[in-house]
Amino acid sequence: MALRCLLKSPTTSSYISKICGFRMHGTKAVASVVEEHVSAMLRSEREDEEYADVDWDNLGFSLVPTDYMFATKSCREGNFEQGCLSRYGNMELNPAAGILNYGQAKLQIFIQKTHTKYSYYKRFFLGLIEGMKAYRGEDGRVLMFRPELNAMRMKNGAERMCMHSPSVQQFMEGVKQTVLANKRWVPPPGKGSLYLRPLLFGSGASLGVSAASEYTFVVFGSPVQNYFKEGTAALNLYVEEVIPRAYIGGTGAVKAISNYGPVLDAMRSAKARGFSDVLYLDAETKKNIEEVSAANIFLVKGNTIVTPATNGTILRGIIRESVIEIALDLGYKVEERVVPVEEMKEAEEVFCTGTAAGIASVGSITFQNIRTEYKVGDGLVTQQLRSILVGIQNGSIQDTKGWVLEID
């Protein structure tokens, strides 16, 4: 408002005309140019700040728009153009884009067996996602945890789904540019992280069921803290017996967008009853645990840590793989195998792992209206593993494995 009042002055208008190199007609035109220049100057000043204007003590896990995002597209031959940064904002899509027409389509097949309805999903989709984080260390460095594994997982997923994919190098470059451009949005040490969402989807127009002719790779970010509303408190899980997360021959092992839509109803129902999340059983027998909606699961029994084997229906989580390696280094016995749901009753501790969730303690699991409770708190296996993992991620523990990448 003050700026517009100032621009009503003929003297100001004349001066702006001179510095802009052309004649302006009316204060509206002058205001538009000046506001654009002032806005650019203010943006530049803001981006030079160490931190964005965020209440870091009250971050949750919801979208906080940052300054920039990265994007690139592929051609029919499958090669991706050199990507570039742009202001974070909406994207334009052809209404016939593969992601819009087949991204969430599904064919449900119902099988009646002993009066129980089983749901199996066959999905046509053209979208993959990844999840990764940038951390700020106590020394001010910005660090990422094993980002090359995310790049390789997206590439493998794209091959499985007949999609064009950026190379590992292109993926890494997009992520690095996004982090550096949004560095002021990386929370202070101990206050959270900058969550990065690489996204690959079919943007080429297609009317029939087919692979798209063009794909778009995007990376954007948002500062986050705890994934679950419970914060660092223990989770209470509910075992879902009707809706499976994945099935043999499907895409459970791929981080595809359509793996998440079908379980939203089960999640909503469980949370309405006070549970934190849902634990799913295998689709074939309904007797073995697989994973939580967006996390892998582990059971602890004495010196043994058990987790369901990644047999094609379970996502091979990067935090999962890292926790297994840390546990083995500490002398624990780790078993990757089929885990019967009844075995949960024998566990002493249970925890979930994932990029968003980190390592989250589970306080109870309810199965067929029977609630089993587990140990939580300091001095336990879960806390030991969490402390080491977080220390490596934020640089407070020496990285002897080459897992951490400094972004500079």
Side-chain angles (χ1 to χ4, degrees), residues 105 120 148 256 324 397:
Y120 294 89
E148 72 285 351
I324 289 174
I397 292 179

Side-chain angles (χ1 to χ4, degrees), residues 230-287:
E230 290 82 355
T232 57
L235 308 178
N236 298 303
L237 303 181
Y238 175 80
V239 178
E240 171 59 50
E241 298 181 73
V242 177
I243 300 176
R245 178 192 169 273
Y247 61 97
I248 296 174
T251 59
V254 176
K255 201 167 178 64
I257 59 173
S258 57
N259 285 346
Y260 300 91
V263 302
L264 293 178
D265 186 52
M267 290 175 62
R268 180 174 57 185
S269 176
K271 290 182 178 183
R273 287 177 286 168
F275 295 101
S276 309
D277 209 334
V278 178
L279 175 60
Y280 300 91
L281 302 178
D282 70 294
E284 188 174 6
T285 71
K286 299 289 183 180
K287 294 180 179 179

Side-chain angles (χ1 to χ4, degrees), residues 9 16 36 58 115 121 124 135 220 235 360 380 407:
S9 164
I16 294 298
E36 183 178 342
N58 291 295
H115 307 291
Y121 302 92
F124 300 105
Y135 307 85
F220 66 92
L235 308 178
L380 299 176
I407 305 297

Side-chain angles (χ1 to χ4, degrees), residues 300-306 327 330-334 348 381:
V300 181
K301 297 184 293 183
N303 196 55
T304 301
I305 300 175
V306 181
L330 293 173
Y332 292 102
K333 179 183 179 182
V334 179
E348 298 165 8
V381 175

Side-chain angles (χ1 to χ4, degrees), residues 219-238:
V219 186
F220 66 92
S222 174
V224 299
Q225 183 54 273
N226 297 304
Y227 176 72
F228 293 102
K229 68 174 184 176
E230 290 82 355
T232 57
L235 308 178
N236 298 303
L237 303 181
Y238 175 80

